[in-house]
Amino acid sequence: MRGAGIRLHEDGWSATAGHPTLLDAFAPCPAFVLAETARVDVPADALYRAIGELRAADVRSPLVRTLVRARGLPQTLRGHGSRPDLGETMLGERCAFLGERPGEEMVLGAAGRFWTAVPEWYEVTADSFREFAHPHSGTIAMGFSVTPSEGTGCRLTIETRITVTDPAARHAIALYWHAIRPAAWLTTRALLDTLAARAVALTGS
């Protein structure tokens, strides 16, 4: 896997030139964005299959798991249980499957007040996620996309978009985002590595 790059945005988002993505449909105007892209030397269908089979427990990065435990410690001491990091949130029980373009793109999402000491989550569907407007709340949409690259292999992009419902939520999430951004970046890198390894295993190469 090579050719990775990161894009971080904190002042809104506008879709790039070309046809809108499925992620654009669910999070067209995010306040905060993190995107990572990597080239993987496997067929696109194997990589997309790896995305569909991914579970949070598959992310074996020791550094990411250390960050998860470290962030959860204060809550554990207060008896509230552990607070999931961004990757665990999106791949665990809090997320909803929002939709896909088979073989090309898949989008997951969660909504609520996820920056508080004891996060509050709302049940969402694809339709309710688009219309989500609870005050002082926000949404997280995570898109996985696979696109052909020159020669053999393909490109995998993981993009996370956080959208807010009002100015008060934006202020709160801004503090949260600056605190967890390094961990979110490391989690995304770990997801890329995990998916690449799983896709290679599926092809037997």
Side-chain angles (χ1 to χ4, degrees):
M1 182 169 58
R2 58 184 182 274
I6 187 169
R7 291 181 292 134
L8 288 168
H9 304 264
E10 298 182 17
D11 296 310
W13 173 267
S14 60
T16 55
H19 68 276
T21 66
L22 188 60
L23 190 57
D24 292 330
F26 290 104
C29 300
F32 306 95
V33 178
L34 183 150
E36 272 278 308
T37 300
R39 185 177 183 278
V40 186
D41 292 321
V42 297
D45 59 346
L47 183 54
Y48 195 80
R49 179 183 167 190
I51 295 171
E53 295 178 353
L54 181 67
R55 298 295 181 270
D58 297 330
V59 183
R60 302 186 181 279
S61 166
L63 180 57
V64 170
R65 293 198 175 279
T66 297
L67 288 168
V68 173
R69 288 194 296 269
R71 293 188 66 246
L73 183 59
Q75 275 200 103
T76 302
L77 295 176
R78 290 196 298 269
H80 294 306
S82 62
R83 177 178 179 177
D85 83 319
L86 196 58
E88 294 289 337
T89 294
M90 300 310 296
L91 296 171
E93 63 182 6
R94 303 302 184 185
C95 81
F97 179 80
L98 300 181
E100 68 174 330
R101 289 174 172 162
E104 298 179 11
E105 185 181 10
M106 183 184 303
V107 180
L108 308 176
R113 297 184 179 94
F114 41 84
W115 60 90
T116 57
V118 182
E120 180 180 358
W121 298 99
Y122 295 94
E123 295 293 330
V124 290
T125 64
D127 290 336
S128 66
F129 188 92
R130 287 191 181 96
E131 304 300 325
F132 185 81
H134 286 268
H136 313 309
S137 302
T139 64
I140 307 171
M142 178 178 277
F144 299 79
S145 63
V146 177
T147 56
S149 61
E150 294 182 5
T152 60
C154 52
R155 287 193 173 277
L156 169 63
T157 299
I158 301 176
E159 182 170 336
T160 301
R161 299 184 182 183
I162 295 179
T163 303
V164 300
T165 58
D166 53 41
R170 181 184 177 90
H171 176 72
I173 294 178
L175 298 175
Y176 166 83
W177 180 243
H178 283 293
I180 63 94
R181 185 168 59 182
W185 179 81
L186 288 168
T187 300
T188 302
R189 293 303 315 163
L191 289 175
L192 287 170
D193 292 342
T194 298
L195 289 168
R198 178 177 285 275
V200 169
L202 289 174
T203 62
S205 57

